[in-house]
Amino acid sequence: SKSISIKVTGRNGSDEVMICPTSGKPNNAEKLFSRSETVPSLYLKADGGKYSIVNVGENETVTIPLGFECGTTGKFIISSNSDVELVDVLTGNVTDLSLSSYEFVGSMADGSDRFLVRISNGPDNGEFAYQNGDDLIVNGIGRVQIFDCLGRVVADEFVNDGKINISALNTGVYVVRMGDTNQKIVIR
């Protein structure tokens, strides 16, 4: 698999991080920051550190916190060379960076936990959710809605590769929606 590049560009410069699929032992590279405080910075957060390069398993689907810092308020663009999903936790926007870049206004007050990136390196059977006991396990990031057979919303939550408690739902057929994707699921 090829390396994934994620880049931020602002009026005072740009910065880039890489995610590298590997079958060997992970070897992350620590982040070196610009001496200029006005240049935007990106870094990947893993194992308690800040990295410019992070290695992930070749057939893994992973969500990695993407740190962002800037010394001045301004417009910024995040782009990628690969199939990467970017989540702006501050606004709730989810962008497929393979289709378009993401433009936003950033400031020093945003905090470094504003973004998440999701990379899917495994096979895709089209299903993003499944039942496990009293929980609906959701593989993805974004708003998830569950509809009953009459079209009523019975659950509406933001998830990050997490779970939704469905113990209050009756046995039956439901439609789970994440973004523009729907999946039929039978809850038992």
Side-chain angles (χ1 to χ4, degrees):
S1 297
K2 72 176 187 167
S3 295
I4 298 165
S5 166
I6 302 169
K7 183 176 184 177
V8 65
T9 305
R11 77 168 180 248
N12 294 323
S14 63
D15 194 20
E16 190 171 3
V17 294
M18 296 192 70
I19 300 170
C20 303
T22 180
S23 58
K25 182 180 175 190
N27 187 17
N28 300 335
E30 286 191 34
K31 179 69 180 178
L32 298 174
F33 290 92
S34 171
R35 291 184 183 188
S36 172
E37 292 181 8
T38 61
V39 173
S41 295
L42 282 184
Y43 53 91
L44 299 160
K45 298 166 80 173
D47 303 323
K50 298 176 180 180
Y51 299 98
S52 58
I53 300 173
V54 169
N55 293 292
V56 297
E58 284 184 329
N59 292 315
E60 283 186 88
T61 296
V62 294
T63 300
I64 303 171
L66 178 67
F68 168 76
E69 295 178 9
C70 61
T72 60
T73 298
K75 289 186 178 182
F76 299 93
I77 298 171
I78 295 179
S79 58
S80 179
N81 67 341
S82 297
D83 189 13
V84 175
E85 195 172 67
L86 176 76
V87 177
D88 186 335
V89 176
L90 186 66
T91 66
N93 290 333
V94 179
T95 303
D96 182 344
L97 293 178
S98 68
L99 300 175
S100 66
S101 54
Y102 181 66
E103 294 185 34
F104 66 101
V105 174
S107 74
M108 293 184 298
D110 288 348
S112 63
D113 296 330
R114 180 169 178 174
F115 298 103
L116 299 169
V117 290
R118 182 171 187 267
I119 295 97
S120 179
N121 290 320
D124 185 9
N125 64 3
E127 293 189 355
F128 60 88
Y130 62 93
Q131 183 179 2
N132 184 8
D134 285 344
D135 295 316
L136 182 68
I137 308 301
V138 179
N139 297 312
I141 303 169
R143 180 180 181 194
V144 174
Q145 294 177 299
I146 302 174
F147 299 88
D148 66 12
C149 61
L150 298 175
R152 296 177 296 201
V153 176
V154 294
D156 190 345
E157 293 187 29
F158 183 88
V159 297
N160 172 14
D161 280 337
K163 58 187 174 183
I164 298 173
N165 185 302
I166 55 172
S167 61
L169 299 181
N170 294 323
T171 300
V173 178
Y174 293 84
V175 173
V176 181
R177 176 182 293 158
M178 179 184 286
D180 294 333
T181 306
N182 294 327
Q183 175 185 331
K184 182 177 76 171
I185 190 161
V186 178
I187 295 180
R188 301 173 204 254

